[in-house]
């Protein structure tokens, strides 16, 4: 099918819930994507932080295909090997204790919220169910995770929302302390706010929140749906902050492009969700887990060191272009935010870059760059050259 035919068919039969860019994509190699007519695009998006291994990765495709031929699904009423092995690796590499597998980020966060409320119910009974989240956060699109999201624009249309969330400004410990009204069970944060504009939390603040949580017996919940799985240059961002959250959600990059998510819990929280309290039909799918095992194999400690180096290279490269529309850059690893100066809008810039063969994302009022973790220096240089030509 041609690009135009794909776009027409989509518009006719798929609900119009996404503000799509006018590009259809057909195949890819590394960090380069191609439309059906063969036009190339350098990818600084990874499909919103998902395709950590880029496109056309043979070991990843083979592992998924072989597992699909062997056994595609059996339900969680039986045991299978790939998710058990993936859970072991995730625990060993993080110091967490056990995993629950789900399918998407919002769903993982729902599970983490259930875990926090049940932990508190088991110890203290009812009435201690409030979860504190940060202003400008993003936690998902379900009715509950919309309400957990600390941005008013998301609290519309779908009333009534789930109760039990209050919002505090990021990096303000006193504001958090002031919420201690006897009804709190947990604090949930993104260590680098993604959708909100690529805003890393301060290290001292995060350490102090962990200590406050321990003092009050509040759970420290990290939403690592975007920051997890190597994106920030360590397997999880919390490892750079020197903390061990009570629970961590992950999704986007975990299976390199197949739908999978989950929650990691520490020793204290690993048995909170006992038999019958939480489940999902598709969770721990063996094909997704087999693909996830290849992601873990490739994301060695040396590879993660390279992610940090590539992140520095790309940030410096963007700053060195000294473009009139861009201000400062920020971020961790290959999760990069670029400020957009007054007089420009991020949507217009994204459209211009995409027209010129470079795929980028927006976040908050700025630009967001999330290239595949396997991106090469040559591909980064090509992307920077597009920026220079299109925006210079
Ligand atoms: C993307 C994202 C989510 C939602 O994940 P879905 O897979 O779209 O449900 C939740 N939290 C954060 C931090 C995210 O970046």
């Amino acid at each position: 099918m041609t690009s135009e035919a794909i776009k027409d068919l989509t518009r006719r039969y798929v609900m119009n819930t996404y503000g799509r860019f006018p590009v259809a994509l057909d195949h890819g190699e590394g960090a380069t994507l191609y439309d059906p007519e063969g036009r190339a695009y350098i990818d600084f998006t990874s499909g919103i932080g998902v395709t950590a291994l880029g496109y056309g990765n043979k070991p990843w495709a083979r592992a998924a295909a072989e597992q699909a031929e062997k056994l595609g699904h059996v339900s969680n009423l039986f045991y299978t090997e790939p998710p058990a092995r993936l859970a072991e690796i995730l625990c060993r590499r993080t110091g967490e204790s056990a995993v629950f597998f789900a399918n998407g980020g919002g769903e993982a966060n729902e599970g983490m919220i259930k875990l926090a409320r049940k932990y508190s119910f088991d110890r203290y009974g009812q009435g201690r169910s409030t979860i504190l989240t940060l202003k400008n956060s993003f936690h998902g699109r379900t009715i509950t995770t919309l309400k957990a999201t600390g941005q008013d624009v998301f609290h519309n249309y779908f009333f009534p929302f789930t109760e039990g969330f209050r919002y505090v400004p990021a990096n303000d410990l006193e504001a958090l302390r002031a919420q201690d009204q006897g009804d709190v069970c947990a604090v949930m944060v993104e260590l680098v706010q993604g959708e909100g504009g690529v805003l890393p939390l301060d290290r001292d603040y995060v350490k102090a929140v962990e200590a406050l949580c321990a003092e009050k017996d509040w759970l420290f919940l990290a939403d690592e749906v975007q920051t997890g799985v190597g994106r920030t240059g360590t397997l999880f961002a919390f490892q750079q902050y020197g903390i061990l959250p009570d629970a961590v959600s992950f999704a986007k990059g975990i299976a390199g492009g197949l739908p999978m998510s989950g929650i990691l819990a520490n020793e204290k929280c690993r048995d909170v969700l006992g038999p019958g309290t939480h489940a999902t039909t598709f969770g721990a799918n063996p094909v997704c887990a087999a693909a996830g095992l290849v992601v873990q194999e490739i994301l060695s400690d040396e590879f993660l060191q390279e992610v940090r180096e590539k992140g520095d290279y790309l940030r410096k490269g963007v700053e060195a272009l000294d473009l009139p529309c861009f201000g400062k850059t920020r971020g961790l690893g290959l999760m990069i935010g670029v400020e957009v100066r007054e007089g420009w809008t991020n949507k217009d810039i994204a459209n211009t870059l995409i027209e010129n063969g470079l795929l980028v994302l927006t976040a908050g009022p700025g630009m967001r760059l999330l290239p595949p973790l396997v991106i090469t220096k040559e591909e980064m240089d090509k992307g920077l050259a597009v920026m220079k030509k299109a925006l210079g």
Side-chain angles (χ1 to χ4, degrees), residues 48 103-107 109 138-141 190 194-195 223-226 251-252 368:
I48 321 188
N103 308 287
E107 189 195 354
N109 286 338
F138 180 79
H139 295 298
R141 295 283 190 166
E190 300 160 87
E195 304 300 314
D223 175 352
E224 292 231 31
V225 167
Q226 192 159 154
K252 293 192 162 90
R368 178 174 39 155

Side-chain angles (χ1 to χ4, degrees), residues 365-388:
M367 310 305 300
R368 178 174 39 155
L369 311 179
L370 304 174
L373 305 182
V374 296
I375 195 167
T376 60
K377 187 168 166 291
E378 192 192 0
E379 286 167 320
M380 288 193 278
D381 287 342
K382 276 191 193 166
L384 290 167
V386 173
M387 285 185 182
K388 187 171 174 184

Side-chain angles (χ1 to χ4, degrees), residues 201-216:
L201 296 184
D202 296 342
R203 193 183 157 88
D204 292 347
Y205 170 75
V206 170
K207 285 240 179 213
V209 174
E210 187 191 42
L212 182 65
C213 286
E215 179 195 324
K216 307 281 183 198

Side-chain angles (χ1 to χ4, degrees), residues 40 64 69 94 142 145 178 185 252 275 288 304 312 340 353 362 381 386:
E69 282 202 18
T94 59
T142 66
T145 56
C185 66
K252 293 192 162 90
C288 300
L304 294 172
D312 284 346
V340 170
L353 290 174
T362 61
D381 287 342
V386 173

Side-chain angles (χ1 to χ4, degrees), residues 242-283:
I243 59 165
L244 186 70
D246 294 301
V248 183
S249 60
F250 58 84
K252 293 192 162 90
I254 187 70
L258 292 179
M260 182 173 230
S261 72
I263 314 163
L264 280 155
N266 68 5
E267 199 61 30
K268 182 169 83 174
C269 294
R270 60 165 289 152
D271 295 322
V272 171
L273 294 172
T277 61
H278 196 52
T280 180
T281 298
F282 285 117

